[in-house]
Amino acid sequence: MSKADKKNQILDAMQALMSENLATDASVSDIAQRAGIGKGSIYYYFESKDEILNAVLERSYSQAITESIKVMEEKDLDAISKFQILFQMCVQPDEMLHQKEMLHYLHVQDSILLHQKFLAITMRAFTPILTDIIKQGIEEKTLSCEYPHQTAEIILSMIVFSLDRNFFSSSADESEIPTKLKALSILLERSMGLEAGSLEFLYQIP
């Protein structure tokens, strides 16, 4: 078995434990037993359970990143259409970005550190993609932006934070999400010279 295959075997075991709601209390030994390998083999590839979790999250994004890159290569799609597709991936992470068990695990853990890791992965994965979308909009002359990369980081951080329900203490706070996203859409439209209503998909959450 190749190193890549054994590493994926470990990640599959961790993901299986997550799907069965057993990952919270699982030890490295439990992960090794589920993977059918020795505990020592785990430490050859990963230093800790947290590092395994990080790798599972990273791997889960690979499909979303691949699909996003395919979208970027669609010549018939304009910048705003691509931005809308990317936003839908953020709105429906369980279907577009990663498995539902990972969302459940993050919720059960109730850990600020884990959520920070989750947000960091989201930012790292999609900032370059949104940057390219903004640059395309500049070339199409549908928007203006002096700092595409930095603007992409700001937009994603605001969207991801607004959609992360773990940061809200009550349903009343959560009900403010569409209003916050509407405010963001208006801010972006005005600052980037977009037509009013161009980004209304930001606050039309199903």
Side-chain angles (χ1 to χ4, degrees):
M1 181 181 295
S2 68
K3 290 183 178 180
D5 288 339
K6 182 162 286 190
K7 189 171 183 179
N8 279 319
Q9 186 176 345
I10 295 169
L11 299 183
D12 289 341
M14 179 63 172
Q15 195 160 333
L17 290 169
M18 293 167 75
S19 68
E20 297 170 18
N21 300 332
L22 299 174
T24 302
D25 298 323
S27 64
V28 172
S29 296
D30 294 328
I31 299 170
Q33 183 177 2
R34 178 59 64 96
I37 62 177
K39 183 178 178 180
S41 296
I42 294 276
Y43 288 112
Y44 179 80
Y45 297 96
F46 303 100
E47 293 184 358
S48 65
K49 176 182 172 181
D50 280 346
E51 190 170 313
I52 297 173
L53 173 62
N54 289 343
V56 171
L57 290 173
E58 291 276 6
R59 187 180 68 167
S60 70
Y61 268 77
S62 61
Q63 181 178 357
I65 295 170
T66 299
E67 291 300 318
S68 297
I69 291 174
K70 289 181 181 178
V71 170
M72 298 308 103
E73 294 173 347
E74 290 290 338
K75 296 181 180 179
D76 295 335
L77 287 177
D78 59 29
I80 300 303
S81 297
K82 291 180 178 181
F83 184 20
Q84 183 170 0
I85 293 171
L86 188 65
F87 175 68
Q88 288 302 319
M89 291 180 177
C90 294
V91 172
Q92 299 174 322
D94 58 321
E95 297 178 7
M96 300 297 289
L97 300 180
H98 47 80
Q99 302 299 315
K100 292 181 180 180
E101 57 262 24
M102 283 177 246
L103 288 176
H104 178 79
Y105 181 79
L106 290 171
H107 175 71
V108 170
Q109 285 289 292
D110 193 25
S111 167
I112 295 298
L113 179 59
L114 283 174
H115 283 93
Q116 286 176 341
K117 291 177 181 178
F118 171 76
L119 297 180
I121 291 172
T122 302
M123 295 292 295
R124 185 165 62 251
F126 292 105
T127 294
I129 296 171
L130 183 54
T131 298
D132 286 342
I133 292 174
I134 293 173
K135 289 179 178 178
Q136 179 181 336
I138 295 172
E139 293 177 359
E140 293 170 350
K141 300 188 185 303
T142 54
L143 62 85
S144 60
C145 181
E146 193 171 356
Y147 303 104
H149 179 79
Q150 290 79 3
T151 301
E153 286 185 330
I154 293 170
I155 292 173
L156 281 171
S157 62
M158 296 179 73
I159 289 174
V160 170
F161 178 81
S162 296
L163 294 174
D164 191 337
R165 288 168 170 79
N166 291 283
F167 285 100
F168 300 110
S169 59
S170 68
S171 58
D173 293 332
E174 187 174 327
S175 68
E176 289 291 315
I177 292 176
T179 304
K180 291 177 181 178
L181 291 176
K182 184 173 183 178
L184 174 61
S185 71
I186 293 172
L187 178 64
L188 293 176
E189 287 168 358
R190 291 177 180 176
S191 64
M192 295 196 293
L194 288 162
E195 292 185 11
S198 297
L199 302 179
E200 63 180 11
F201 58 81
L202 287 178
Y203 54 88
Q204 294 179 341
I205 302 176

